Amino acid sequence: MTADLTALDLEEAGAVLAAESARFASFGWMRGTSGNLSVVLTRDPLRLAVTASGHDKGELTPADVVLVDGNGAAVHEGKPSAEAELHARVAALTGAGAVVHVHTVASVALGHRHPGGIVFKDIEMLKGVGQPAHDVEVTLPVIANSQDMKILGDRLEAAREPRMPAVVVAGHGLYVWGDTPRQARHHTEVVEWLLELELTRR
């Protein structure tokens, strides 16, 4: 641990992430060991608790998290998700307090169909991401996938739409964020609902 963080802080964060992971896994959005979640513990320096790599997200315990720094590298011990670096980049870029990454069918399918972004308009559920329900078009960005988190982070930063707290990674899944784990969860559920609606329309 660092001077500002204790094992109890990490365990408490782990309990929150385990509960959120179980919820998303129950929806089929984190099948097998796919997907990952994080929560910011400190801002200066940036430290996040990130779900550990290779664990079934429906069976996480409070111990199944790793403390990482602003580059996504483990601070103490454990193996964080391979995408921890991108979680840290999103937290630094957006000021988010929590980041969700899920692998949903709708996000992957629509990412292929709309490489330039997915446009939503005149849908009441847009209020769930803080946007007017009518007379405003909001684009959910879509970026090309990469196994290099620096490249992926650069693409996310270039494509980010400040009015939409999410981005689709084509062929991969959905990244969503919020001020807190609860808000990140709500944003994830709303964005996924919008994606599922768009998928049924086609």
Side-chain angles (χ1 to χ4, degrees), residues 125-177:
M125 281 289 274
L126 284 169
K127 292 179 179 178
V129 290
Q131 298 305 313
H134 302 287
D135 301 324
V136 173
E137 286 189 354
V138 182
T139 300
L140 173 59
V142 176
I143 60 175
N145 194 18
S146 173
Q147 300 306 304
D148 185 320
M149 292 301 109
K150 173 68 166 62
I151 291 173
L152 200 56
D154 289 346
R155 290 172 180 170
L156 187 150
E157 183 170 356
R160 185 170 76 96
E161 160 59 87
R163 297 178 300 166
M164 177 62 75
V167 65
V168 168
V169 180
H172 189 172
L174 181 65
Y175 280 88
V176 192
W177 50 90

Side-chain angles (χ1 to χ4, degrees), residues 58-143:
E59 300 177 349
L60 294 185
T61 72
D64 294 327
V65 292
V66 180
L67 182 67
V68 304
D69 62 18
N71 295 313
V75 171
H76 184 52
E77 59 184 18
K79 182 181 179 183
S81 161
E83 282 121 356
E85 181 180 345
L86 189 57
H87 281 251
R89 179 79 173 266
V90 170
L93 176 66
T94 68
V99 181
V100 172
H101 173 46
V102 289
H103 293 221
T104 68
V105 172
S107 64
V108 173
L110 289 171
H112 282 305
R113 295 182 190 179
H114 302 280
I118 305 158
V119 178
F120 301 107
K121 182 180 178 182
D122 296 334
I123 303 172
E124 195 73 18
M125 281 289 274
L126 284 169
K127 292 179 179 178
V129 290
Q131 298 305 313
H134 302 287
D135 301 324
V136 173
E137 286 189 354
V138 182
T139 300
L140 173 59
V142 176
I143 60 175

Side-chain angles (χ1 to χ4, degrees), residues 33-51:
T33 62
S34 69
N36 35 76
L37 308 179
S38 66
V39 60
V40 173
L41 298 180
T42 65
R43 280 280 165 201
D44 188 15
L46 183 60
R47 296 288 185 266
L48 302 88
V50 181
T51 49

